[in-house]
Amino acid sequence: TIEALKGKTGDVAVREYIVNNLLSSQAPYATIGMVNGAYVGSEPVAPGYYLIRDKAGTLTGKDDSYTFYIVKITGFVTITPKADTPSLVKKIKDKNDTTGETTNWQDSADYDIGDEVPYLLTATVANNFASYKGAYKLVFHDTMEAGLTFNETSVKVIVNNTEVKDTFYTVTKTDNQNFTVTIADLKALTYGENGTKVAVGDKIHVEFTATLNENAVIGAKGNLNTAYLEFANNPNSEQPEMGR
């Protein structure tokens, strides 16, 4: 076993090797369940080295993310889950037809055909993003109905009221109604003159506009714009594995 591990460098490589090659159905193990918000072992185990990991297989919930592998010398142990996922909120501004003034960000608005409609997508940074072994990839997805035309050059990414350089993200337009904004690695993103790094709890804003076109639906039904967030969800992997 020691000989096999000689070529493995780095914490992740060693743990991955143990999981994929040394663990088997015959290996001693204990089941861990959730009790009052913490993971608790099904039975006390003798002191020794244990590798604690998520159950093998793929995640079933769209908002799930894996926890870190833990290697610990322990007997009976209680583990607080470390997994966290970012959240997403979408807002829109309204405009007064008489004065031309716009409101603060809100949930709905009333515009005329030909108007440019401002939108805001906001993601809150997860509390464990900086501990990921690989890149922490973040992708904003937006889909509009036929009555709205996406304005590709209008996209801005903003952190703490400071616009981020476009070298940190990519805008991909599928068609006039669908696009993505991809941040390849949130851990590498900086903003401001001093190169401030993103921190836990920061708000990542994506601002853009869409033009209300001739296909717009008039009346209460409106013209919907929906969005969702895709994010790295396996902190143990060197390559981003994505969830939503």
Side-chain angles (χ1 to χ4, degrees):
T1 300
I2 297 300
E3 288 297 319
L5 290 175
K6 279 186 177 179
K8 309 297 177 184
T9 59
D11 183 59
V12 171
V14 172
R15 296 183 193 197
E16 289 286 354
Y17 181 85
I18 292 172
V19 170
N20 295 326
N21 297 280
L22 302 184
L23 298 184
S24 69
S25 58
Q26 285 75 42
Y29 67 91
T31 303
I32 295 176
M34 181 70 79
V35 177
N36 295 325
Y39 291 133
V40 179
S42 60
E43 59 188 55
V45 294
Y49 285 96
Y50 294 89
L51 188 143
I52 303 167
R53 51 164 268 183
D54 289 297
K55 183 179 178 181
T58 57
L59 296 173
T60 57
K62 69 177 183 179
D63 296 321
D64 288 343
S65 63
Y66 290 100
T67 57
F68 286 100
Y69 296 148
I70 303 169
V71 175
K72 192 176 183 70
I73 302 176
T74 182
F76 190 83
V77 63
T78 298
I79 305 166
T80 301
K82 293 184 179 180
D84 189 27
T85 59
S87 60
L88 179 68
V89 175
K90 181 176 71 68
K91 295 291 184 180
I92 187 174
K93 283 185 177 181
D94 200 359
K95 183 176 72 172
N96 186 304
D97 288 335
T98 302
T99 65
E101 295 180 352
T102 56
T103 64
N104 292 324
W105 296 107
Q106 56 190 46
D107 293 326
S108 62
D110 182 16
Y111 280 88
D112 298 324
I113 291 178
D115 286 345
E116 289 191 355
V117 184
Y119 288 97
L120 174 69
L121 305 178
T122 301
T124 302
V125 177
N127 63 23
N128 62 343
F129 87 103
S131 300
Y132 271 57
K133 302 301 182 183
Y136 192 95
K137 188 175 181 179
L138 197 64
V139 185
F140 295 80
H141 292 258
D142 194 277
T143 300
M144 309 173 193
E145 291 189 333
L148 292 164
T149 300
F150 169 56
N151 299 320
E152 188 173 3
T153 60
S154 68
V155 175
K156 295 180 181 179
V157 175
I158 297 169
V159 180
N160 294 335
N161 298 317
T162 301
E163 187 172 349
V164 173
K165 292 180 180 179
D166 60 11
T167 53
F168 287 108
Y169 63 90
T170 303
V171 180
T172 303
K173 177 181 174 182
T174 306
D175 52 42
N176 286 334
Q177 278 72 48
N178 295 272
F179 73 95
T180 60
V181 176
T182 301
I183 300 173
D185 187 2
L186 194 60
K187 297 188 300 179
L189 187 151
T190 60
Y191 62 94
E193 293 182 357
N194 297 323
T196 304
K197 289 190 172 183
V198 173
V200 172
D202 278 349
K203 308 292 184 183
I204 311 298
H205 304 290
V206 174
E207 292 189 17
F208 65 95
T209 67
T211 301
L212 198 63
N213 62 43
E214 65 277 5
N215 298 316
V217 175
I218 308 299
K221 181 181 179 299
N223 301 271
L224 296 181
N225 178 3
T226 59
Y228 71 89
L229 195 63
E230 192 179 7
F231 51 87
N233 70 347
N234 190 347
N236 307 290
S237 177
E238 296 285 358
Q239 298 299 321
E241 296 178 21
M242 306 299 287
R244 55 166 290 190

